[in-house]
Amino acid sequence: MDAASPLLDLTPRSLAWSARATSVADIERALARIWAAAPDAAVGPDGERHVVARTSVLNFVAVAGSEEVATRVLAAVGSLTSRHPSRTIVVEPRDAEGPRRIEAEVTATCALARGAGAAVCTETIRLRAGGDAGRHLASILPPLLVHDLPVTLWWPEDVPFHRPDFVALLMHAIQADRLVVDGSTWRGDGLAGLRGLVGAQAASGIAISDFALMRQSRWRDAIASAFDLPDLLPYLGSIRGVTVEYTASRADPAGTNVVRPLYHAAWIGSRLGWSATEPLRVEPDGRRRATLRRPRGHVELSLVPVASDLPGGATTRVRIAATRRRSRLDVEVTARPEAVVVRARLDDGEPSVRLHHAARRTDADLLAEAVESGGRDPLTTAAIRLAGALAERGAEAGT
Amino acid sequence: MTDGPASPRGPRERPLPIREERLAAIGRRRRAPRTERNPLRAGLRLERMPDPVAIVLFGATGDLAHRKVLPALYQLWRSALLPLDVRIVAMGRRPYDDSTFRQEIRVALDAHARVQPVDEETWRTFAERVEYLRGDLDADATYDELAARLEASDRDHGTRGNRLFYLATPASAFAPVVQQLGRVGLDREVSGGGWRRIVIEKPFGRDLESAKRLNREVAKVFREAQVYRIDHYLGKETVRNLLVFRFANLIFEPLWNRRYVDHVQITVAESIGVERRGAFYEETGATRDILQNHLLQLLALVAMEPPATFDANALRDEKVKVLRAVVPLADADVARDVVRGQYAAGWVEGEPVAGYREEEGVDPLSETETFVAARLGIDDWRWAGVPFYLRTGKRLPKRATEIAIVFREVPHALFRGSRSDPEPDLLALRIQPDEGILLRFGAKVPGLDVDVRAVNMDFGYGTSFSVDSPDAYETLMLDALLGDQSLFTRADEVEEAWRIVRPIVDAWVAGPPPEFPDYAAGSWGPAAADAVPGRDGRRWRRI
Ligand SMILES: NC(=O)c1ccc[n+]([C@@H]2O[C@H](COP(=O)([O-])OP(=O)(O)OC[C@H]3O[C@@H](n4cnc5c(N)ncnc54)[C@H](OP(=O)(O)O)[C@@H]3O)[C@@H](O)[C@H]2O)c1
């Protein structure tokens, strides 16, 4: 046990105390010690007294597969200016075969407000769990959470949905309210992850934020805008085909993660009451196809890989075709740097074109949004559910 | 997106026969596409992007435009919340051209943009979309030129006939500008999606008559659903949170009435003086500048009944009902329940400052009040008998806007032996500077005695959420672009607020001259203000 006494580290606008610990009980003691030693008021560089206040908003737990991911997670959490998790716990299971050990670094950081406002304090626990301890996070985390505050769990990379210890952790031990994932990082085509996600959601009722789906908000806005025009709105009821093109690595097109392209179609379908009749199957040309049922007819869905040197799995184009009373509507949405372009064309008429501003959003932006959205979002729930149904394994025989 | 009632003058209009009503309804549907019927829009509310639009900023060379409106537009652009097809037509009299005006805004942004430093690339793309139109607001030619510019903007910049007019001019220009817009037909919404909206700054009138007149002039040209009257307090995070706080929590609402609430205090304190706006302030005074709008809006939000929906009109209907229930002040009430004041020289934040009468642009014998405190009552089932104490002033010791709900004492004093006088429970909503909510209640002091002491439970926005919430002008600008009127005041609301204030101003005009100045800069107003709650055995909160 490291008994380093709380140390004062004065940077211009924040104060921090930190300590090390080597067991769960030790971490709890370290926190208690820090708070006991922290003064009721801190004096800032401007000589002003700030009452020291701990926030009570949220527990934030992130599980990082590597040192590098842990650093990324901490950076994103640190830049969450819009909402501070009260307690952040970043766990790194490491060296699974090695000896069992727990090493933690506990830090309390107080940001000084301008003027005489309170100094706002949050706590960060960076915890390395070595050996089999890394497989028993469910026994480590619960005592470290602040009582009665919601728990958000961020799993930035491939999520082990199938592992029993994941289920134990997520559903029972920490009773997380929200699971934050990024479907575009899941291994292979990502569809197994998607099935796992839908399973977890169904079993636990947990709220989900998926960065892959969140990043598409401007696309959704752009696609919806095409149908704001009263003349085009009725075509929503007679869509026949949705085609999504995405970047794929030349070497292994079938191994490219297709979660993002699939989400576009799943969102449209879930809004329009479609259901999956035939899940995705891979065609010899590398495309994936599926069939959906809409209220009066069918919709053909294709996901088309386009060989590219860009990172795989990014949507480059969404096409929607609808026919109605012998008229045909084509809506095409394409990505450009910083913008999304919508082109809607009725028969041979002039296409109407509209640009949508689409700012890049960093991990920190998305994380802030995920943490800020309370409760289950019906759009996400429905889109993920339909995506999961389309990702079912049943018809993969076509390969 | 919510549409207002079909009638231009709010809900008091005579009812229409069913045929006319039906035709009006069809007309409305043709005019504006009802985007909410697009199922793809469901759940996208937060992500919605305003339609392509030309924003016409009247008074673009003025103080408000430089400090608030243009920085808000820039920030929205920076956050990708404006459409790419946006055009900002800036109007003023001064001899700028596009490029010199852009340089001028750049200077303003370096000083006033919320997020510093100004991002060069964002700035470049923003500036490209700003053009300057020089012209006198009284001249017909200005509007003919504007109409031509807007047509060109639709053609060359894809703004699609959507226009947002923003009046940041002196109030005397509001009516003439509206008339002129009507004259050249810029008010008319055309089929195929072109909407027209007008944002009007405060002051909206300077008394009941002028407000009614202005409402009438505006209504001749625009339907109420096109009119956005700004009270920027309504865009502030805590004010919006007030509604959430009241109606999304179960535990407070049951206490929110005469059974449990002893009284309510609303304070809008400013430490600044009149700065360089002395001439403007001379004609205005604290009652017109703050009481009639900000204070009464806060009162309405605290006191209103829960609306049935969060639709703009449902919300505003409830606010109007409360304002109507405010007990009218008779002359005698004004003498007893309203106190005005004017600051003399003094010290604020460690600096000596001049008295009001010495400020630039101010009459040395000025009778304009820089402070007002009032006691109002609300005659409805919820609030009958509960006093609402309101106060506002310039050159007070600090900048602070707060609403305090002070609860009644417990019916039976069980802990009489306690050494400290128990203070009543209190709920304080801080609106600025440190937005937050504080609950004060009694707790036992540790020890063998039963000693009750007041303790605070404090929720700070800065300590929980955003240290960096959007500026009120960003929120309101975006709402206007999205067609959401909830946070804007409706014609009848403005008139009701003037009705409440009228007897105050009338009594002062008719009465003897005030003994001004009567409070030192840096104090909490004239001593007489203490009597406003003092007469009821209460006192102002220490803030
Ligand atoms: N400033 C604030 O903090 C604040 C706060 C709330 C509400 N408001 C309201 O906002 C409005 C503007 O206030 P402000 O402080 O920005 O006033 P300001 O600095 O005096 O600006 C007035 C603007 O109107 C233009 N203007 C005046 N007469 C004109 C005419 N005949 N033709 C063309 N343009 C004319 C001026 O153009 P030139 O400069 O080119 O002559 C200038 O751009 C007022 O109604 C005020 O009550 C202001």
Side-chain angles (χ1 to χ4, degrees):
Chain A
M1 158 169 162
D2 172 0
S5 63
L7 115 161
L8 187 68
D9 157 20
L10 186 66
T11 54
R13 297 226 69 87
S14 72
L15 302 170
W17 292 264
S18 74
R20 294 182 175 283
T22 51
S23 73
V24 172
D26 214 15
I27 296 173
E28 291 179 89
R29 274 194 296 273
L31 277 169
R33 237 178 12 237
I34 285 177
W35 287 115
D40 292 342
V43 179
D46 43 9
E48 209 134 35
R49 266 172 63 88
H50 301 265
V51 174
V52 169
R54 295 164 73 176
T55 67
S56 9
V57 177
L58 155 93
N59 287 297
F60 188 82
V61 179
V63 181
S66 65
E67 178 100 35
E68 182 206 326
V69 176
T71 314
R72 213 182 84 211
V73 165
L74 284 167
V77 175
S79 64
L80 265 194
T81 52
S82 62
R83 195 178 279 218
H84 315 279
S86 309
R87 184 169 292 171
T88 302
I89 307 172
V90 180
V91 199
E92 285 167 63
R94 53 161 54 181
D95 190 12
E97 304 311 317
R100 176 186 315 159
R101 61 186 298 175
I102 288 180
E103 273 170 36
E105 210 175 288
V106 183
T107 313
T109 311
C110 300
L112 300 182
R114 313 223 161 259
V120 183
C121 304
T122 57
E123 299 149 356
T124 308
I125 302 171
R126 182 172 184 171
L127 193 155
R128 297 183 180 87
D132 54 2
R135 284 195 297 280
H136 291 89
L137 298 182
S139 71
I140 297 177
L141 288 168
L144 299 180
L145 300 173
V146 185
H147 295 206
D148 278 323
L149 289 186
V151 179
T152 291
L153 174 63
W154 185 20
W155 209 294
E157 292 186 320
D158 208 42
V159 187
F161 286 110
H162 56 279
R163 257 172 39 196
D165 60 325
F166 174 78
V167 180
L169 173 70
L170 175 68
M171 290 176 210
H172 308 302
I174 65 171
Q175 297 172 1
D177 305 86
R178 175 172 298 275
L179 173 63
V180 182
V181 295
D182 183 350
S184 67
T185 63
W186 295 340
R187 82 184 65 197
D189 58 15
L191 298 182
L194 202 46
R195 290 190 292 270
L197 183 66
V198 173
Q201 187 181 42
S204 64
I206 194 170
I208 307 273
S209 299
D210 186 340
F211 285 2
L213 187 62
M214 291 163 69
R215 281 204 193 88
Q216 296 173 346
S217 64
R218 278 291 173 254
W219 284 77
R220 287 193 283 276
D221 197 45
I223 293 170
S225 76
F227 297 94
D228 283 342
L229 301 174
D231 296 347
L232 304 191
L233 184 60
Y235 285 86
L236 275 183
S238 31
I239 293 177
R240 286 166 201 280
V242 175
T243 306
V244 186
E245 294 175 14
Y246 62 94
T247 54
S249 82
R250 289 176 212 283
D252 178 19
T256 304
N257 179 304
V258 294
V259 170
R260 279 180 287 173
L262 177 56
Y263 272 160
H264 284 295
W267 163 67
I268 299 173
S270 64
R271 290 295 105 189
L272 300 177
W274 301 350
S275 55
T277 45
E278 278 176 54
L280 288 171
R281 57 195 178 272
V282 184
E283 304 278 323
D285 59 2
R287 300 178 172 217
R288 284 185 162 79
R289 286 185 201 282
T291 313
L292 297 107
R293 194 185 8 250
R294 61 174 163 80
R296 277 185 302 277
H298 284 91
V299 184
E300 291 301 325
L301 165 65
S302 0
L303 308 183
V304 182
V306 177
S308 160
D309 297 325
L310 296 170
T315 310
T316 53
R317 188 195 309 269
V318 176
R319 278 184 296 169
I320 300 171
T323 44
R324 185 170 177 272
R325 301 202 185 122
R326 265 175 274 133
S327 262
R328 180 185 163 96
L329 171 72
D330 288 291
V331 174
E332 187 191 81
V333 185
T334 43
R336 276 215 220 144
E338 308 288 303
V340 182
V341 186
V342 195
R343 201 180 297 273
R345 180 181 176 137
L346 205 49
D347 296 319
D348 298 324
E350 262 304 286
S352 95
V353 183
R354 213 180 135 170
L355 274 177
H356 284 253
H357 211 159
R360 289 251 159 279
R361 294 198 293 167
T362 62
D363 271 7
D365 297 334
L366 294 170
L367 194 58
E369 187 184 321
V371 167
E372 263 163 43
S373 51
R376 245 164 300 148
D377 163 30
L379 183 149
T380 307
T381 312
I384 289 177
R385 193 174 298 145
L386 183 56
L390 288 165
E392 274 311 322
R393 229 176 322 211
E396 261 177 26
T399 33
Chain B
M1 178 167 140
T2 45
D3 249 15
S7 68
R9 247 153 294 161
R12 281 175 304 156
E13 180 104 300
R14 114 195 120 83
L16 292 172
I18 191 148
R19 184 181 134 77
E20 279 179 43
E21 204 165 16
R22 184 175 59 78
L23 293 179
I26 297 170
R28 232 187 309 158
R29 208 162 299 150
R30 287 238 174 97
R31 263 198 297 271
R34 298 190 44 126
T35 44
E36 57 269 71
R37 291 189 313 152
N38 176 349
L40 295 183
R41 283 281 177 214
L44 292 193
R45 175 67 185 93
L46 283 176
E47 305 168 354
R48 245 190 93 192
M49 168 67 76
D51 300 325
V53 61
I55 299 172
V56 180
L57 179 55
F58 293 95
T61 52
D63 172 67
L64 182 76
H66 278 59
R67 276 193 311 113
K68 293 292 182 184
V69 183
L70 289 164
L73 284 169
Y74 162 78
Q75 187 59 38
L76 290 175
W77 176 256
R78 181 168 180 160
S79 327
L81 289 169
L82 290 183
L84 283 176
D85 312 316
V86 66
R87 223 38 219 170
I88 297 170
V89 181
M91 299 187 54
R93 273 179 305 196
R94 289 177 224 181
Y96 290 115
D97 57 22
D98 288 354
S99 102
T100 51
F101 183 71
R102 287 172 189 161
Q103 284 163 21
E104 160 95 9
I105 325 178
R106 178 56 201 260
V107 173
L109 291 181
D110 285 332
H112 303 295
R114 177 163 63 82
V115 180
Q116 294 285 0
V118 171
D119 177 67
E120 290 305 329
E121 181 55 21
T122 315
W123 159 249
R124 197 181 55 71
T125 53
F126 178 73
E128 278 169 5
R129 288 168 167 80
V130 179
E131 57 185 274
Y132 185 72
L133 172 56
R134 184 180 176 197
D136 199 294
L137 293 177
D138 307 324
D140 286 0
T142 307
Y143 301 85
D144 297 332
E145 164 83 24
L146 175 63
R149 287 269 192 118
L150 290 175
E151 243 168 63
S153 151
D154 288 346
R155 196 181 53 233
D156 305 337
H157 304 292
T159 48
R160 306 211 175 185
N162 298 318
R163 290 135 182 38
L164 184 80
F165 300 106
Y166 196 114
L167 298 190
T169 62
S172 55
F174 294 168
V177 172
V178 169
Q179 268 165 15
Q180 287 276 13
L181 291 174
R183 182 184 67 80
V184 290
L186 283 174
D187 57 309
R188 252 164 275 145
E189 304 202 320
V190 286
S191 65
W195 49 255
R196 311 291 159 88
R197 298 180 192 137
I198 184 160
V199 179
I200 304 181
E201 264 297 337
K202 79 171 203 185
F204 201 87
R206 51 175 286 113
D207 52 28
L208 182 58
E209 286 65 39
S210 59
K212 280 189 170 159
R213 219 176 309 125
L214 183 53
N215 274 334
R216 256 197 317 270
E217 291 300 325
V218 172
K220 280 186 200 157
V221 179
F222 292 97
R223 289 176 299 123
E224 181 63 25
Q226 296 175 285
V227 182
Y228 293 74
R229 294 176 196 77
I230 282 217
D231 184 324
H232 69 267
Y233 264 57
L234 296 184
K236 289 185 184 286
E237 204 69 44
T238 317
V239 174
R240 300 197 298 157
N241 186 37
L242 179 57
L243 296 172
V244 174
F245 182 78
R246 282 192 59 195
F247 303 128
N249 291 302
L250 184 69
I251 57 173
F252 300 108
E253 200 51 25
L255 306 179
W256 215 260
N257 57 52
R258 59 194 305 267
R259 259 191 88 180
Y260 298 103
V261 175
D262 180 76
H263 70 280
V264 176
Q265 294 189 11
I266 308 180
T267 303
V268 174
E270 296 180 277
S271 57
I272 56 168
V274 292
E275 313 280 82
R276 259 162 294 141
R277 303 176 75 219
F280 157 82
Y281 201 80
E282 270 292 273
E283 300 169 6
T284 315
T287 310
R288 290 189 168 100
D289 193 35
I290 307 278
L291 175 64
Q292 184 271 343
N293 39 61
H294 305 326
L295 277 172
L296 288 179
Q297 282 292 331
L298 294 179
L299 173 134
L301 291 171
V302 170
M304 72 183 197
E305 295 297 321
T309 64
F310 255 113
D311 163 78
N313 275 318
L315 184 73
R316 299 188 295 178
D317 285 346
E318 294 304 334
K319 285 200 289 171
V320 170
K321 279 191 217 158
V322 174
L323 293 176
R324 274 193 202 140
V326 170
V327 187
L329 295 167
D331 272 2
D333 302 328
V334 174
R336 192 188 56 229
D337 291 336
V338 183
V339 168
R340 57 179 156 162
Q342 188 191 69
Y343 63 83
W347 287 73
V348 174
E349 292 168 4
E351 301 278 343
V353 298
Y356 178 68
R357 290 180 174 185
E358 288 103 63
E359 304 269 19
E360 183 190 319
V362 172
D363 180 352
L365 296 174
S366 170
E367 293 179 12
T368 299
E369 80 286 359
T370 61
F371 176 96
V372 61
R375 173 196 200 275
L376 295 178
I378 298 176
D379 248 345
D380 63 11
W381 277 67
R382 194 191 275 264
W383 297 115
V386 177
F388 283 72
Y389 302 108
L390 315 184
R391 63 174 163 166
T392 180
K394 291 207 174 276
R395 287 292 186 216
L396 300 185
K398 60 162 124 166
R399 180 170 87 106
T401 300
E402 285 207 31
I403 300 172
I405 316 288
V406 182
F407 292 95
R408 293 166 65 143
E409 280 176 23
V410 288
H412 171 58
L414 208 49
F415 304 110
R416 229 167 312 194
S418 170
R419 267 173 306 215
S420 40
D421 269 345
E423 292 193 66
D425 297 344
L426 170 137
L427 184 72
L429 307 155
R430 285 193 306 272
I431 290 162
Q432 60 189 18
D434 287 316
E435 306 191 278
I437 295 169
L438 174 142
L439 181 64
R440 182 179 73 194
F441 56 92
K444 182 185 166 306
V445 178
L448 298 173
D449 300 347
V450 181
D451 206 359
V452 182
R453 191 79 58 78
V455 293
N456 289 349
M457 217 153 82
D458 200 346
F459 157 83
Y461 254 74
T463 66
S464 297
F465 307 132
S466 175
V467 205
D468 189 30
S469 17
D471 184 76
Y473 276 87
E474 291 166 37
T475 308
L476 295 173
M477 183 69 80
L478 187 61
D479 280 359
L481 289 169
L482 288 171
D484 184 347
Q485 290 184 301
S486 316
L487 301 176
F488 296 84
T489 30
R490 206 168 56 188
D492 48 350
E493 247 179 289
V494 174
E495 292 179 13
E496 286 305 329
W498 279 120
R499 187 192 55 74
I500 294 167
V501 162
R502 168 157 69 177
I504 302 179
V505 179
D506 285 355
W508 291 342
V509 171
E515 288 175 19
F516 280 171
D518 57 357
Y519 69 96
S523 70
W524 280 108
D530 291 343
V532 173
R535 199 167 295 114
D536 304 330
R538 303 183 175 104
R539 57 193 157 80
W540 291 112
R541 281 188 63 221
R542 193 178 339 100
I543 288 184

